[in-house]
Amino acid sequence: MSATGDLVRLDALGPGGAYRSRNLQTVHDIHGVPFAELSLVPPLFVARTMAALRKADPLPLEERLEAVARAGRAFATETVGGLSAEEYQHAVCRVSGLPWVTTEMALDFTVQYTERAYLSSQLARPSGAVNDWRDPRTRHGSGVWARRGDVFAVHAPGNTPSAHTLWLQSLALGYRVAVRPSSREPFSPHRWITALRDAGFGPDQVALLPTDHATADEVVRGADLAMVYGDDAVVRKYSSLATVLPQGPGRSKFLVTKDADWTSYLDTIVSSVSAHGGAACINTTAVFVEGDPAPVARAIAERLAVLPSLPPQDPKAVLPVKPIEEARRIERFLLANAAGTTPWLGGDGIVDDLGDGTAVLRPAVHQVSRPDAPQTRIEQRFPCVWVAPWSPEAGVGPLKDTVVLTAVTDDEALVDRLMAEPGIANVYLGDHPTYWLPPGIPHDDYLESFLMRTKACIR
């Protein structure tokens, strides 16, 4: 990473080192000012990179674990690619509009995740399997946990830097990794690949492949397995491919049944909506209440209303900022879909103009009239929550299509149904925010369930 005039230069990182392409994409900040130039690579470059990754052998286990942990410490605290940790935070906030608190949380989590990358991956290993065919258990017959391939591709998201900690576990398992960064926030993946190379991973082990949309699928096709982030359209596009793991909208939810005193959980509900600036898939987007949802909606709105409107680089910033025209488009979409609801916050708009061509996206709280209201499926990249009535007669149907559901209830039969529902990925019981995700806890199943398989072996 270097500067070209006043622009930050983000080179592709291929098997031959940093690569400066003729095809440059200008990355603008939230004011519309050019801030960085991203080198886009052609299909031939992608093919050559994937061939180099496939040909390379993984680092020995101890070396790669030490390198991942070393890279995590550097990412969080050191100068990497010419940017200090604080300069990196400023770049992410300036380009993406994510609030300072989001980048701060990402740096705090980084060291925890990288130091436990391998231990976390081992939690997914079947108890009947060993890691190596040389293990004494294979003399009498055992399962051996083995990679499903050699090269793993990641179409990275741009909504939160914390998302990058997930694919690091594939390196701990011996995969070689190619990351296609999001043009909305390319600094995090560039910093990660640079830190990993500095820590000991060779250029034939990890690569950064920025591409245009036409070339993006070449990255997926060139890998053995791939993980792709995107919206519902992306999920539909890749859902039938066994070699691709699509990561779509989260639509995380909160359920409070009548046997619970919701006031005791209000702090947790509010933080579930607003943490990470409301931009993560594990932020709560719908709250279901058995009984009258109005008091809950009112209380959430009162708490969210006091959050400050600040530029994203302000250390006290907690809300996302967008270019004013983009913010207006988001506002129009919200208001159009809020027709017929009861607005407790944001009913007259969510755009707070900062006077410099940008605007803060203020929180929104709307109450809907039924548990299956279509608004409860709407996910926005700012604190936006729909509060709905729920009853046992409504069942688990309205709660499906969910990455995390926090349920505050004493009804064990209901919990059984929630745990058995395939459309709910994770169930948290009691006073736990939907964004709770320490190392070793599956996000949407263990990633290793996709990356690994168990082979029988006897010798």
Side-chain angles (χ1 to χ4, degrees):
M1 187 181 299
S2 60
T4 303
D6 293 328
L7 299 183
V8 176
R9 192 175 81 184
L10 298 172
D11 293 333
L13 300 173
Y19 174 77
R20 182 67 170 168
S21 171
R22 294 180 181 179
N23 185 10
L24 300 175
Q25 180 177 2
T26 300
V27 179
H28 295 84
D29 69 10
I30 55 174
H31 302 279
V33 176
F35 182 73
E37 286 184 340
L38 184 62
S39 283
L40 303 182
V41 300
L44 181 59
F45 188 95
V46 172
R48 287 177 174 172
T49 301
M50 292 306 201
L53 297 180
R54 193 176 306 283
K55 185 178 179 181
D57 293 321
L59 293 176
L61 177 61
E62 291 304 320
E63 286 186 33
R64 64 180 184 257
L65 298 187
E66 290 175 5
V68 168
R70 191 158 54 245
R73 292 191 293 272
F75 184 96
T77 64
E78 300 173 11
T79 296
V80 177
L83 292 182
S84 68
E86 186 174 354
E87 289 170 333
Y88 154 74
Q89 288 181 265
H90 276 283
V92 171
C93 293
R94 179 172 169 179
V95 166
S96 69
L98 289 170
W100 187 263
V101 67
T102 301
T103 60
E104 205 165 46
M105 292 173 71
L107 293 181
D108 288 343
F109 292 155
T110 291
V111 175
Q112 300 176 40
Y113 276 89
T114 51
E115 288 185 344
R116 294 191 56 185
Y118 186 70
L119 292 176
S120 296
S121 72
Q122 290 298 294
L123 295 174
R125 177 169 57 87
S127 59
V130 295
N131 283 312
D132 194 294
W133 67 267
R134 299 173 183 83
D135 190 289
R137 287 169 56 183
T138 62
R139 294 189 182 279
H140 305 285
S142 174
V144 177
W145 212 35
R147 293 191 306 272
R148 291 180 59 207
D150 295 314
V151 179
F152 182 48
V154 180
H155 276 206
N159 61 324
T160 171
S162 299
H164 294 281
T165 55
L166 181 61
W167 59 259
L168 291 167
Q169 292 177 200
S170 65
L171 287 172
L173 295 168
Y175 275 90
R176 278 73 77 203
V177 178
V179 179
R180 177 188 182 261
S182 167
S183 60
R184 288 191 292 118
E185 199 279 272
F187 295 97
S188 295
H190 193 284
R191 184 175 178 86
W192 267 120
I193 299 301
T194 302
L196 288 164
R197 290 187 173 195
D198 290 346
F201 283 96
D204 59 354
Q205 299 281 327
V206 290
L208 184 80
L209 298 175
T211 71
D212 57 23
H213 289 292
T215 309
D217 277 347
E218 297 297 324
V219 179
V220 173
R221 281 192 286 266
D224 298 311
L225 299 173
M227 181 167 62
V228 178
Y229 289 82
D231 56 16
D232 286 322
V234 170
V235 172
R236 288 192 297 270
K237 177 180 178 180
Y238 292 106
S239 59
S240 62
L241 299 178
T243 58
V244 179
L245 180 65
Q247 297 286 290
R251 301 189 179 96
S252 294
K253 302 178 179 70
F254 217 103
L255 170 66
V256 183
T257 59
K258 65 180 180 181
D259 53 11
D261 176 12
W262 63 265
T263 61
S264 300
Y265 302 93
L266 182 59
D267 287 346
T268 303
I269 296 173
V270 171
S271 67
S272 293
V273 174
S274 60
H276 300 282
C281 64
I282 48 179
N283 281 116
T284 294
T285 55
V287 175
F288 294 85
V289 180
E290 185 178 5
D292 184 6
V296 181
R298 181 189 301 111
I300 296 172
E302 289 173 352
R303 292 288 186 89
L304 293 178
V306 301
L307 295 180
S309 289
L310 296 167
Q313 293 149 298
D314 190 301
K316 295 181 181 179
V318 294
L319 295 173
V321 176
K322 294 294 182 184
I324 186 70
E325 289 306 316
E326 182 179 350
R328 294 291 184 197
R329 287 196 297 272
I330 294 171
E331 181 180 66
R332 288 194 294 271
F333 174 85
L334 173 68
L335 295 178
N337 282 277
T341 70
T342 302
W344 290 97
L345 185 63
D348 54 354
I350 46 93
V351 171
D352 193 354
D353 191 344
L354 291 177
D356 59 359
T358 70
V360 175
L361 295 177
R362 299 289 307 166
V365 180
H366 287 79
Q367 180 182 332
V368 297
S369 60
R370 63 182 200 273
D372 62 345
Q375 290 91 342
T376 61
R377 290 182 50 81
I378 295 176
E379 181 179 76
Q380 295 287 291
R381 291 196 174 106
F382 69 97
C384 176
V385 64
W386 310 89
V387 184
W390 181 88
S391 66
E393 292 73 29
V396 300
L399 309 175
K400 294 180 182 179
D401 194 18
T402 299
V403 168
V404 180
L405 172 70
T406 291
V408 181
T409 182
D410 291 330
D411 187 342
E412 293 189 1
L414 172 61
V415 174
D416 285 337
R417 293 196 296 275
L418 297 176
M419 294 298 297
E421 170 52 51
I424 302 174
N426 306 302
V427 177
Y428 300 166
L429 302 176
D431 198 17
H432 302 288
T434 53
Y435 61 83
W436 178 81
L437 192 64
I441 297 298
H443 168 60
D444 187 0
D445 198 354
Y446 284 109
L447 176 61
E448 293 79 7
S449 299
F450 174 70
L451 296 175
M452 307 293 282
R453 60 165 294 187
T454 303
K455 296 183 179 182
C457 181
I458 187 170
R459 61 187 177 98

